[in-house]
Amino acid sequence: MSESNTLFLLGATGFLGSQFLIHLSKSDLTKFHIRALLRAPIEKKEAQIKAIYPNLSVVEGTLEDDAIIQEEASKADYVINCASSDHHTSVVSTLAGLEKRSKAKPGNPPIYIHISGQGIVSDNSRGEFVELEKVPKYSDVGLDLDQCPSINMHLESDKLIVEYGTRKETPIRTLIVNPAWIYGVGEGVQKTTMPVRIFLDMFKKAGHAGTWGPGFSRMGNIHVKDCADAILVVFKAALEGKADEGKEGIYFVSSDQPMLFNNQITGKMGDVMFSKGLIPVGGTRPLPNEVVDPLGHYGWSLMGSNLIGIPHRLKKFGWEAKESQKITVLESLPDEIEAALKNQLI
């Protein structure tokens, strides 16, 4: 297989990454040989992702393995990172490897698609109610990352990626995908989103479902299938030379479904968990400091803030959030909780 057909994928067994693999396998882009980074033990996970996408080989390692990531990125013309959006050292490793690739193949810069999040536009309102018209709203068209509050999550990596994506020497074609709350039961290896899995454990320990502060933080939402489709759309556009890249290569991903307060999501979770005997009370209330403090600014920025990003760029390509029209977040949560609990038993 020619190296020019090699795609290095991080996060291949995750909620979004394995769903993306499914969408890629059903597309007309199956010419790519995928090199997937997997944490040991790899045998079961390797079989699972090869069942989805057979033209795949595994690289054993973790996001901490700088040399491995650099080596794989230096040999690939395409890298898609669906792993942790805030693991900055692995982003540095990836960019270093892609820089080597760019030097080795002048005139044919590699493509890097990084999955970030809408935490970049957090208003840090600490869960307090803010009138909607007073909440900052960001379009991905014309967005300058320096407009975002500097303390926000994801920005450290996103800004570095944009810096590399605007260089004239050893260029890298960079695109950043920033999803809203990703929900739904996935078809891939990991069936549920990380926040639901984290919340299940937190709420069981607290004895009730809860929020950061009063829970009046708003966020958009997107079904995992729609989000995976969005990545595929961006990838295709990049391959065809139609995508916005570098400073303009920021893509918000959100459905047209109503934004939800955090206390609506956790209230639904609380009712479902109570019905299953997992906690002694239903509904939701503010979480105590001893529960939220361990997550520090990360938790407050993502779960205690308004996050409103409008996906104008994707809609230029005719992308629609079709799955999100079929089932809403609140309708999906009981199935997500069931899937997460089932996975804990495996």
Side-chain angles (χ1 to χ4, degrees), residues 178-193:
N178 298 79
W181 175 281
I182 307 176
Y183 73 96
V185 177
E187 301 169 312
V189 178
Q190 176 56 256
K191 305 298 183 186
T192 55
T193 187

Side-chain angles (χ1 to χ4, degrees), residues 85-102:
S85 56
D86 290 303
H87 195 281
H88 187 65
T89 55
S90 63
V91 172
V92 172
S93 301
T94 299
L95 291 169
L98 288 171
E99 187 174 32
K100 294 176 184 177
R101 181 66 168 183
S102 184

